[in-house]
Structure formats: structure tokens, C-alpha cells
Amino acid sequence: MAGGRGALGWVAWAAVLGAAALGLFGRGFLLTRVELPHRSACRRPPGPGPVPPPRPPAPSWPGEGCWLPRRFARAVLVLIDALRFDFAHSPPSAPSPSSFRGRLPALAGLSRGGRGRLFRFRADPPTTTMQRLKALATGSLPTFVDAGSNFASPAVREDNLLGQLAANGRRLAFMGDDTWAALFPAAFAAARFFPSFNVRDLHAVDDAILRHLYRDVDGGEWDLLIAHFLGVDHCGHKHGPDHPEMAKKLSQMDTMLRSLVDHLANDTLLIVAGDHGMTSTGDHGGESEEEVDAALFVYSKTPLFQTPPPEEPETVPQVNLVPTLALLLGVPIPYNNIGEVMADLFAVEGDAAASGLAQLAAYNINARQVNRFLHSYSLAAQDLSAEKLQRLQDQFSSAMEDYERLLAQAGPPALSEVERLRSCFSRYLREARAVCAESWARFQPACMVAGCALLASSCLLCCLASRAASAPGFSYRHLLFYPLLWGLAGAAALGLAHLWGWAGVDVIMVSAWAAAASQCGFFWHCWARRPWRSHSTGARLSSRGASLRQRLWTWVGPALPLGLLLVRCGAMLSDSFVVAEDKVAPFLLASLALLRVVRLHWAGRLEDSPASRRLLGWLSVVLACTRLSGLFRQCREETPVCQSSPLLAPLSSVQDPRAKNFYYVLCVAVLVALAWGVRAWLRHYGNLNSPSAPVLFVRWGLPLVAVCIGGYWAITAGSEEALGKAHAWAQLALGAFPRSAFVLVAAGLLSVLWDPVTVFVQDGQGAAGTGGPILLPSSQEELRQVIPQLYRRMQESLKSRLEEAKGDGRASVAAYGLGSVYSAALLIFLALLGFLLLLLHSERLSLAFLLLFLEAYALLGMHAAALALNPAAVGCPLLLLWPFLSEAPSSRSRTPKGRADDSEEQLMEMRLREVPERFSLALLQLGLKYLLILGLQMLACVLAAMILRRHLMVWKVFAPKFLFETVGFAVSSLSLLLGIGLVVRVDSAVSQWFKRVILAQPR
């Protein structure tokens, strides 16, 4: 079907235009920062002039360092992923004991005698693992756009703590999360990386670390040893924090810390830290207090702190660990660091003035390094406020003059002067960090406006192309091929400008430039040809004879659903709408369904008929499903009074065995219902009789997929203790069940693409009763005319009984399921994707998927019933195909054996083959209208993000909404292309099937 391939190309082009517009807008909206390539070095101290030598360190300090004498020879960093602050600290005012609060009692014992101290470790959003590891290594702030690479960690190229240690001859050892291998591929002298993506596995990584940790610590062939435990994070994702498994996991970490301390030497610093926290559901990535507050514990066998701890643990930004650890180990602070040293770790024994001078020495190095970075960054990026830079420079100069004056004093300095100068350095470093954070929150308005304009023109293109496709004389070549040439010319022009040094080039700019050029080409050719002018003129003339009520409804009817769309789009400017969208979206869907019925009633077509009763029945199903969908609500962090549905949690979190068994039976019933529903639908329309590979897979493959998913759920629903004690066969099945399901689903999808025709053919000798022999077509055009004739001949052969013309010599062919061949392939394809989604989500979400499938089926039923009552309505791949299935009588035979009772079958989807050009144009209009609705929603979303980019909730509400809608646009566009592509593939296979049938007839 050449027209079908043209429609597919058209829809793909329109989707690419929208993607290019979103990429251009995202470049201006999602914040980035310039990574300076400079690196700190021992031989080049920071700042102008030499660094004033500090006072002699304490005798217990091991030796010389780069910019400051190092205090520790070695350090052990124990990173417990998602170690929330209250996991380690339980204030006296805390509520009743829980599974997680204060579950590391070893820290309290290690804090005695000034040897250790607990801090509130404040992370900067986004609280995803990769961004936190970058901040812990570089001392800089991640930007919002980095959150998208959480599972595709690129190597850290800017100066970082691990690189400084390796460059200065220190040996680094690592064990744990393999994310570090991608971030720092050449930093470690010895490393044990373990896979981290299986969040259902709570013990594999932690147990592997514990098998090597104490032996490697005793070996001493390292200067910095990092152990990254994942069990706490995985337990939060699987069960949530308030679960007995979390108590067990934290107890394991507590035992590990008690044992680890016994293996440490006196010159070794122990750092226990969490990279982020977690919400009450075990998730992270946002900026709620539960997510950004992690725990930090610092310990040494020698006294470390000279002052008693405060009543409430001090809050320390995560970036402060980088300069602190660098100076304590005697290596340069990374060039791009904006963190502040933790001054208490540089205090020495003796009087307060001597301890203050040691702290001022660390502050001096830190301030010089930050001042050097600000100067370099302002030259490279030129986006720092000149006024604020000057104010910071004045503060820095004043503090440095006071510090040099203090060092030049002959006698011991006054303690008040030391404290004042320490406050000056601290204030300077904190304000510098605030200036950088504000600078990295700057947008690119030009890219944002251009992206909005490009997206708006893409929506206009979809609208105009949809209208042009319904007019006679529509040409794929003029309205697709020529604009593509314009786009290639635009991309080539930008490439030449880059070669001549006139413009910079990247993928986003090239795609945006090509999209704009191709849109200009379309609008030019569209205006030159104006294919819809005569069509619209004829429509206006035909409406003159209508009554006033009909003409009024002609305008008001489409305005109501468009009004709902505009309400949804306009409400995106409200943060409260975005927060409450889980309630508003079902309401708008139910309103749209009710509006469809009201329109039919207004038009006088809703009478007491079977079609009307079916329509009202499907409406009831839609309303019931939208109501029941509220049982699966996930609360946002902005609504603290809201309670998330317990049905969202996995079965393993259910403690009551009876409730767990009940929910498991319900989930298995969903699997059975989905598999049975697909088989029943195919049997009803005669497609289950075909010997093709997809039908065989539906008969045997779908039950096997359901068994694999159900078996996997049965194993994972048990407690972690039960899983650990399970037999070897159970451990094998834990991996075999999901792998088998994935393989079966992939095989089913490939079978649908390879042989999508689900038709049962039975040949016989008989007369068709009417008509002559069918001639062999000599061209594709003749084949298009012959196919409907042959299909009617097949239908006639079903009621002729084959009795009167056994000697006639003409062949009669009985085909079952041909009238639903397109929908059958799409339904099998969607069912396989549905089973795949069930496997990827928690068990009880299968109930939500069942509601979703039932709601979609009911909406399709409403659509078909409404068209039966109002044939003039426009249909849209299953929205276009489903109305044709409504031609089938309800008393259809389900097997070929029942054909004796069959009445004349309807053409159903074979009507689409009568005029193939209209079929392809209908597919094109469907795709373009769908992309138009998606584009309008995306346009409203990007306009809201651009207008409200300085809103207080921009990074909490509007930026995540933009990312969510962008991902939704990409997934929806891809699904649309797959659906249209599958229809084109089925159409091509049906054409080949008809050719074989025609060639098999004797002439």
C-alpha cells in the first residue's frame, strides 16, 4: 500500500518536527552549567601570590601535603545509598518506634570522646544517585537537566577528588555499585564492581562487599577505600522505609560499622554517608526534606573534635565534603569546587586561638580556590552578575588582608579576632555558592521562544495537512517530498555557515533549523496549491440548505470538545492543576464521554434502539472505570495530607498472609482475564481458527506468558528471609520466569510482524451463484479493484452451500476472520505489550491495567455505537477500524463448523479495501489529528514553563511536568507510528494473500 507508506512517512515527519521543537525549547529551559577544563595542581597554589604558611600543625598529623599539611594518611568512605538522616538519628521528640528511625545505634557509641560526630548531610536536588556522586566528587552543583542521565552515567571529565588523589600518587580501591565504573573509569587501582539495576535484590551487592571489605581494609594496599552499599536503597524501592525488611537491612549496616571500626588504624579517617534520602514510599529524585536530608558520620580512633557536639546535629551541604576531605588527605581541592570546608575537622589540641588559626588556614586555602574558580568561570561563561562578583571580590580582598595582618602579628592573636575572621571566610564562601546557584538558574529566552514558535507551527501544519488530505487532488509528493528537500537544504546551509565560521552547530540546532526550513517549504507549497479551498467552498454551499438548529450544532458541536481541550491546556498555567491532575484528568475524560451522548441526544438520534442501549452501557463502563481508577492514586509530595493508595506497593510489603493470598489471586485472575479476553474476541470474529503463527501464539504462547508472570509474582511476593532460604530451584526460577516471559513476548511480537494475516481459508468446488470468473490482475491498480469482488465472492460462497454447481468448475473460497484482520493483528500486538508492562510493574498494579484496558475497550465500543447512530461522524488505528466491526451480527458462528447457520456476512474491515486511497488518507488524518492534540497539550505545557520560569514552584512542578509531557509525547508518537506501521504491514500481507488466492483459482 504505497499510500499507507506515504501516510506513515507523513506522520513520522510531523512527529520529528515536534521532537525538534521540544529539543530546542529544552535547550533554553533545562539549565546547564559550563564545566571548566582546568585542574588544580600542587605546584600551583590557588589565588594570586603564594599561600601564607600556616602555623605548625599538631604533632599527631602524619606529614606534609600539597596546600596544607595532611591530617590523615588514609580514609575509608562507606556510602550507604539512600541513608536518610532519621535512619541514623532519632530525636527524643520522635513518635513511637518504627522500622527505620534511629536504627544505627553504633554511631552513638562511636561518637564518645570527640572521636566521631553525626551531621545532617543536605543534598542539592535532583536527588538521583548519579548527580549525588558527581557532587560528592567535584564539589559542584548538578543542574536539573543532569537528572535525565541517572541510568546512563557519562564519565566525569571535570576536576574531581578521585582524580586528584590518583594524580598525586594515592591508591584508590572500590567495591560496590557499578555506577562508579562509568563515572570514574580509570581512577581505581583495585575495584570490585557489582550490578546495581536490579532494585528487587536487596542482598547481592551488600553481601559481595562484606565478603571482601574487612580483608581489603586489613591489606592496607590503598589510601582511599570506597564501599558503596545498595541494600537500603533497594529495600526502600521495593518495600518502603517503614517495613521490617528495612529494619533488618539497617541492622546489618550497624553490625558492619561496628566490625569495620575494629579494623581501622589510628591514622585512618572513617566517613559514613548517604547520597540522598527517600520518601515515605521509598522513592527519591525530588527536593522534599525526606529526599535531601541524608546522614553523614565522621570518625577517627584519635580525638577528632575539640568541642562538644550541639544538641541538634549540624546541617552540612554535601559539596562541603569535597574540600574537607581533599585538605585532610593533603591533595589539592578540585578546581570547580564551591563547597566550604568543615572547620571543626581542622581544629587541633591546645588553646582555642591555636585551634582557630588551624581552621583559618583551611579557610584561606578554600577561599582562594573558590575565588580562582569564580574568576575563571566568569571569563568562560560570562553569566555571573558583575555587581555580585564585585561584591564577592571586595569581601574576599578584605578577608585576605585581615588574615595576612593576623599572621603578621608578633604575639598570639585575640580569640575574638580569630572568630570574626572565621565568620568572614564562611560568609564569603556561602555567598559565593549562592551566586553560582543563581547563575546556573539562568535560561536562554531565545531558544525557548524559538522552540515555542516551532511547536506552534508544527500544530498548524498538522491541522492544515489534515484538511488538505480530505480534499481531492491531495499529493504526497508536493506536500511531503518537497518540504523534506527544503529541510535538507536548510541543514546544508547551516553546515556551510559552520564551515565558514559564521555559526556553531550541534544536533539540536541542526534538527531545529531543518524542521523550520521544511515547515516553510510545506506552507509555501500548501499556499501555492490551496487544495482545501474548493472543498471548504462546497461544504459551505451544502450547509445552506440545513435548518437553523442543524447549522447551529455544526458550529457548537465541535466547540464543546475543543473547549474541554482548551480548558486542559489553559489549566497547565496553574500549579494547583498540575498537582491535582490525577483528579482533573479522569473528570475531563468522563465529561467528554458524557458530551458524546449529549450531542447525539441533541441531534435527535438517541432513541430506544439496540445501538442506543449499547452506547449507554459502554458509557456506564467508562464512568465506573474512571471512578475506580482513584483507588490507585499516588500522592505528590506537595500534598502532605494525602495518603497514597496501598495498592501501589508490591505484594511483598503486605504482612497479613490472608490479604497477600487474596491479592495474589486477584492479580492472577487479571492475567487469566486478559488472556481469555483476547482469545474470546478472536474466536468471536473467526480469527482464532487461522493456522498462522500469531494465532498459534495466542492459543499457547499467551497462557505460557501468564504462567511465567504469575510464577514470578508468587516467588517475589515472599519475604526476603524466605527468598534467602529458598531452594536452588526457586532461585533459578526467580530469574528464569521473567526471562522466559520476555523471550515469549518478543517471539509473539515478531510473529505478528512476520505473518499478521489471521485468516482461516477453506477451498471447495461450487458456484458462487452469481458473477463470472475472476480475471488475474495485471497491475496493482487492477488488484485493488479485484480484491473487493473476491471478498464478496467468498461471502456468497458461504450461503450458496456448494450443492448446485459442483460441475461448474469454478472455485469457491470460504475465508473466516477476514473482516477483522486489521483489528486482530493490532489487538494481539497490544495484548503482548500489555503483558510486558504487567511484568515491569508491581503485582497489584495489574488491577489498574485491567481497568485501563476495560476503559479503552468501552471507549472504542462507545465510538462504534455512536457512529452507528450518527454515520456522518468522523472515525480515527483502532478508532478507525473499530466502527467497521460493528457491522458483524451478534449471532456470528464461532467456528467453521457452524457455517450452516450463518447468514450473509458483512464486509466489515474489507470496506477499507474498496477505496485504498481513502483508507491511507484516513490513516493520515488519524495520525495528524492525534499529533495535533498532543502538540497542543505540549504547547500549553512549554508556554506555562516559559511564562512561569521564575515561579517559586518551577523546579518542583512545572519542570517535572515538562519532562513528563515530553516523555509522553515521545512514547505516544512512537506508539502511533508503530500502530500505523502495523496496519500498513497487515494491508501489504492481505494484498499478498489475495494474490495467492487469485492465482490458485482455475481459469
Side-chain angles (χ1 to χ4, degrees):
M1 185 168 95
R5 289 190 291 270
L8 181 62
W10 245 101
V11 175
W13 175 53
V16 169
L17 294 179
L22 293 176
L24 184 59
F25 178 84
R27 180 177 182 173
F29 177 69
L30 296 176
L31 308 177
T32 58
R33 63 180 176 88
V34 177
E35 295 184 357
L36 300 181
H38 312 304
R39 298 184 180 277
S40 300
C42 276
R43 63 181 182 274
R44 295 194 302 271
V51 177
R55 297 298 176 97
S60 60
W61 290 26
E64 296 295 328
C66 278
W67 298 345
L68 196 70
R70 61 176 179 170
R71 183 170 186 178
F72 295 96
R74 297 186 296 177
V76 175
L77 173 60
V78 177
L79 193 64
I80 302 177
D81 208 298
L83 182 65
R84 206 167 76 183
F85 177 71
D86 56 355
F87 291 0
H89 176 71
S90 180
S93 60
S96 58
S98 64
S99 301
F100 60 87
R101 191 173 291 109
R103 288 288 178 169
L104 298 179
L107 302 184
L110 296 175
S111 300
R112 298 189 182 97
R115 291 179 173 83
R117 184 167 296 179
L118 179 66
F119 297 88
R120 188 186 297 268
F121 209 27
R122 181 65 54 83
D124 296 291
T127 49
T128 50
T129 295
M130 195 203 72
Q131 281 65 42
R132 295 296 89 233
L133 296 184
K134 283 185 176 182
L136 288 172
T138 63
S140 187
L141 300 179
T143 52
F144 193 90
V145 69
D146 290 335
S149 55
N150 189 40
F151 303 113
S153 309
V156 176
R157 302 187 182 277
E158 60 181 325
D159 196 10
N160 60 85
L161 179 60
L162 275 64
Q164 285 294 337
L165 288 167
N168 287 276
R170 310 297 174 85
R171 298 163 300 175
L172 278 70
F174 177 83
M175 55 187 71
D177 185 358
D178 59 355
T179 304
W180 293 75
L183 287 173
F184 311 100
F188 301 106
R192 306 178 193 274
F193 298 115
F194 305 107
S196 61
F197 202 73
N198 184 11
V199 296
R200 291 181 174 270
D201 187 351
L202 310 188
H203 305 295
V205 175
D206 292 1
D207 292 345
I209 295 174
L210 293 175
R211 284 195 298 269
H212 304 282
L213 178 61
Y214 308 123
R215 183 174 66 250
D216 288 0
V217 170
D218 294 336
E221 297 181 357
W222 49 270
D223 295 296
L224 174 64
L225 187 147
I226 303 174
H228 189 166
F229 291 87
L230 293 174
V232 173
D233 180 67
H234 287 187
C235 185
H237 285 299
K238 185 175 181 180
H239 302 291
D242 197 5
H243 191 276
E245 291 296 336
M246 181 62 77
K248 295 178 183 178
K249 179 54 64 176
L250 292 174
S251 298
Q252 182 189 33
M253 295 294 100
D254 186 71
T255 303
M256 176 271 298
L257 293 175
R258 294 179 187 272
S259 302
L260 178 60
V261 168
D262 297 334
H263 295 265
L264 297 179
N266 291 335
D267 62 348
T268 302
L269 176 68
L270 173 64
I271 303 163
V272 182
D275 56 343
H276 52 75
M278 66 173 66
T279 64
S280 58
T281 58
D283 300 318
H284 57 89
E287 57 179 351
S288 66
E289 183 176 350
E290 294 175 325
E291 293 170 279
V292 300
D293 279 353
L296 171 66
F297 181 75
V298 183
Y299 171 82
S300 172
K301 285 191 171 182
T302 59
L304 190 58
F305 299 95
Q306 305 305 315
T307 57
E311 294 183 3
E312 183 65 22
E314 180 185 353
T315 299
V316 176
Q318 276 192 358
V319 292
N320 289 11
L321 182 63
V322 174
T324 303
L325 194 55
L327 294 182
L328 288 176
L329 295 178
V331 297
I333 300 175
Y335 197 96
N336 295 335
N337 166 75
I338 58 171
E340 174 188 351
V341 291
M342 300 167 61
D344 290 341
L345 293 175
F346 295 90
V348 297
E349 298 179 3
D351 57 23
S355 182
L357 284 177
Q359 294 173 343
L360 285 180
Y363 268 124
N364 168 53
I365 296 292
N366 191 189
R368 284 171 171 264
Q369 171 266 321
V370 171
N371 182 72
R372 180 184 64 178
F373 166 73
L374 291 177
H375 177 71
S376 301
Y377 189 88
S378 63
L379 295 178
Q382 298 180 353
D383 59 358
L384 295 175
S385 170
E387 179 182 353
K388 294 181 179 179
L389 276 178
Q390 185 60 47
R391 186 174 68 250
L392 287 174
Q393 184 62 39
D394 294 340
Q395 291 184 18
F396 172 76
S397 301
S398 175
M400 293 306 302
E401 291 175 1
D402 292 343
Y403 180 64
E404 293 174 0
R405 188 182 309 111
L406 184 69
L407 293 180
Q409 292 181 5
L415 181 59
S416 59
E417 184 64 19
V418 172
E419 292 295 333
R420 185 192 67 80
L421 193 53
R422 174 179 166 175
S423 299
C424 290
F425 276 123
S426 178
R427 183 170 60 254
Y428 165 75
L429 291 170
R430 293 180 183 182
E431 291 187 9
R433 180 171 177 266
V435 169
C436 290
E438 180 183 0
S439 171
W440 295 334
R442 291 195 175 184
F443 303 93
Q444 300 181 36
C447 289
M448 296 170 67
V449 172
C452 290
L454 193 59
L455 186 58
S457 60
S458 300
C459 294
L460 179 61
L461 181 145
C462 291
C463 180
L464 295 179
S466 176
R467 292 185 60 190
S470 62
F474 177 78
S475 172
Y476 286 104
R477 183 183 65 180
H478 287 89
L479 294 181
L480 177 61
F481 179 69
Y482 291 151
L484 289 179
L485 291 181
W486 279 57
L488 292 176
L494 186 61
L496 291 177
H498 174 68
L499 292 178
W500 292 336
W502 293 348
V505 172
D506 57 22
V507 175
I508 293 179
M509 290 305 299
V510 170
S511 60
W513 191 269
S518 62
Q519 287 184 2
C520 291
F522 168 81
F523 291 130
W524 172 263
H525 287 278
C526 201
W527 173 257
R529 296 175 62 84
R530 293 186 289 279
W532 63 83
R533 172 170 293 183
S534 59
H535 176 72
S536 59
T537 302
R540 288 194 300 268
L541 292 175
S542 62
S543 64
R544 291 180 180 177
S547 64
L548 178 62
R549 180 179 178 179
Q550 291 175 338
R551 281 184 290 176
L552 179 62
W553 185 249
T554 301
W555 290 96
V556 177
L560 293 178
L562 287 178
L564 287 178
L565 178 62
L566 292 178
V567 167
R568 170 172 169 75
C569 293
M572 289 190 183
L573 292 165
S574 168
D575 58 336
S576 58
F577 165 79
V578 177
V579 171
E581 193 173 9
D582 59 325
K583 294 181 178 180
V584 177
F587 171 77
L588 292 179
L589 177 62
S591 301
L592 192 61
L594 284 170
L595 180 62
R596 189 69 183 270
V597 177
V598 170
R599 291 178 62 185
L600 290 173
H601 177 70
W602 177 269
R605 299 183 180 275
L606 196 61
E607 301 174 352
D608 187 13
S609 63
S612 299
R613 288 191 290 271
R614 284 198 305 269
L615 178 64
L616 295 177
W618 289 127
L619 175 64
S620 302
V621 174
V622 171
L623 296 179
C625 290
T626 54
R627 185 67 176 176
L628 292 175
S629 64
L631 298 175
F632 302 90
R633 186 185 183 193
Q634 173 68 58
C635 296
R636 295 175 61 102
E637 60 190 46
E638 297 88 354
T639 54
V641 296
C642 174
Q643 293 291 332
S644 296
S645 171
L647 297 177
L648 299 176
L651 273 180
S652 57
S653 63
V654 180
Q655 301 300 313
D656 186 2
R658 292 184 177 180
K660 180 179 292 188
N661 293 335
F662 173 74
Y663 283 121
Y664 177 75
V665 171
L666 282 182
C667 296
V668 172
V670 170
L671 295 176
V672 174
L674 291 178
W676 174 85
V678 175
R679 289 169 59 95
W681 190 93
L682 295 176
R683 184 184 299 112
H684 176 76
Y685 286 103
N687 298 95
L688 199 61
N689 306 304
S690 171
S692 63
V695 174
L696 294 178
F697 186 86
V698 170
R699 286 179 174 274
W700 307 107
L702 277 187
L704 286 178
V705 173
V707 168
C708 290
I709 297 177
Y712 178 67
W713 286 350
I715 297 176
T716 57
S719 63
E720 294 298 327
E721 184 177 357
L723 286 177
K725 296 180 180 179
H727 294 289
W729 65 266
Q731 295 291 340
L732 179 64
L734 186 63
F737 275 137
R739 291 189 179 95
S740 300
F742 282 127
V743 171
L744 287 172
V745 169
L749 294 175
L750 291 176
S751 68
V752 174
L753 294 176
W754 179 260
D755 183 18
V757 180
T758 55
V759 178
F760 177 77
V761 181
Q762 185 172 358
D763 297 326
Q765 292 295 324
T770 60
I774 297 178
L775 301 178
L776 180 65
S778 59
S779 65
Q780 186 71 19
E781 188 65 30
E782 291 184 7
L783 177 64
R784 294 176 179 176
Q785 303 299 326
V786 167
I787 287 176
Q789 301 175 26
L790 182 58
Y791 184 68
R792 289 191 177 90
R793 178 70 55 81
M794 292 176 182
Q795 305 306 321
E796 293 169 0
S797 68
L798 290 178
K799 70 174 187 177
S800 65
R801 296 285 157 241
L802 309 176
E803 297 176 354
E804 300 179 2
K806 286 187 178 181
D808 192 15
R810 294 201 305 270
S812 63
V813 181
Y816 299 88
L818 192 58
S820 56
V821 64
Y822 295 97
S823 297
L826 283 171
L827 189 65
I828 296 173
F829 201 87
L830 290 175
L832 292 172
L833 292 180
F835 277 104
L836 181 62
L837 291 174
L838 291 178
L839 183 60
L840 295 176
H841 289 78
S842 62
E843 301 91 338
R844 289 186 288 181
L845 275 180
S846 59
L847 302 173
F849 278 104
L850 179 63
L851 284 178
L852 181 64
F853 296 149
L854 184 60
E855 188 174 19
Y857 189 82
L859 287 172
L860 290 172
M862 279 192 64
H863 178 64
L867 288 186
L869 296 171
N870 185 17
V874 179
C876 109
L878 285 177
L879 283 178
L880 176 65
L881 302 172
W882 214 264
F884 294 97
L885 300 177
S886 62
E887 296 182 359
S890 59
S891 60
R892 284 179 52 86
S893 174
R894 296 189 179 186
T895 62
K897 296 178 181 179
R899 62 181 181 271
D901 299 326
D902 282 343
S903 60
E904 180 180 356
E905 293 206 17
Q906 305 296 320
L907 290 178
M908 293 193 292
E909 291 177 356
M910 281 299 104
R911 290 189 183 277
L912 301 171
R913 300 304 309 255
E914 293 180 345
V915 187
E917 294 82 3
R918 293 184 60 185
F919 182 23
S920 62
L921 292 177
L923 281 177
L924 174 59
Q925 286 184 300
L926 159 68
L928 292 177
K929 291 178 179 179
Y930 187 76
L931 287 178
L932 174 61
I933 295 176
L934 286 180
L936 289 176
Q937 293 184 99
M938 280 305 312
L939 181 60
C941 183
V942 298
L943 286 174
M946 182 178 67
I947 296 172
L948 301 174
R949 63 185 182 276
R950 295 300 180 187
H951 192 276
L952 179 64
M953 306 291 286
V954 60
W955 299 120
K956 201 175 186 69
V957 174
F958 296 107
K961 177 63 175 175
F962 166 70
L963 292 179
F964 177 81
E965 292 292 340
T966 300
V967 174
F969 179 85
V971 173
S972 300
S973 300
L974 182 60
S975 302
L976 178 65
L977 292 174
L978 287 176
I980 295 178
L982 183 58
V983 171
V984 174
R985 173 70 184 98
V986 174
D987 191 80
S988 176
V990 169
S991 297
Q992 296 298 321
W993 182 86
F994 272 114
K995 281 185 178 180
R996 292 193 298 268
V997 171
I998 295 173
L999 291 174
Q1001 292 190 79
R1003 292 178 291 277

